[in-house]
Amino acid sequence: MLEKAIVLAGCAIGAGLALIAGIGPGIGEGYAVGKACEAIGRQPECKGDVTQTMLLGCAVAETTGIYGFVTGLLLLFVGPIYLGGFLG
């Protein structure tokens, strides 16, 4: 009984820590968009190139948040079921 409680607590703590990974991409993407707006404001003729590069960078940065989200969901919903089978 104590083993299952420890597994559930570990899964919950791990999921919470994994979901913190969503903070970094949000800050980074906001910074990137702000800098892109500054660049377009300085040189409006390069709008297409700046926007394309910014969107590609934001897509790559967002994968970190998605990986953290998926890891948190797995720890919350699949981890206790999967690990519970080993504990009897």
Side-chain angles (χ1 to χ4, degrees):
M1 190 70 162
L2 180 62
E3 294 86 8
K4 287 186 181 183
I6 292 172
V7 167
L8 288 175
C11 286
I13 292 170
L17 292 174
L19 292 177
I20 291 175
I23 294 172
I27 294 171
E29 288 173 24
Y31 185 75
V33 171
K35 290 297 183 177
C37 289
E38 287 179 14
I40 292 170
R42 283 192 215 115
Q43 293 183 336
E45 65 274 2
C46 69
K47 177 183 176 184
D49 293 336
V50 171
T51 303
Q52 182 180 6
T53 305
M54 180 203 60
L55 288 175
L56 180 64
C58 285
V60 171
E62 188 63 32
T63 58
T64 306
I66 292 172
Y67 290 147
F69 181 67
V70 169
T71 302
L73 287 178
L74 288 174
L75 282 170
L76 278 178
F77 297 112
V78 179
I81 296 170
Y82 182 72
L83 293 174
F86 287 117
L87 298 175

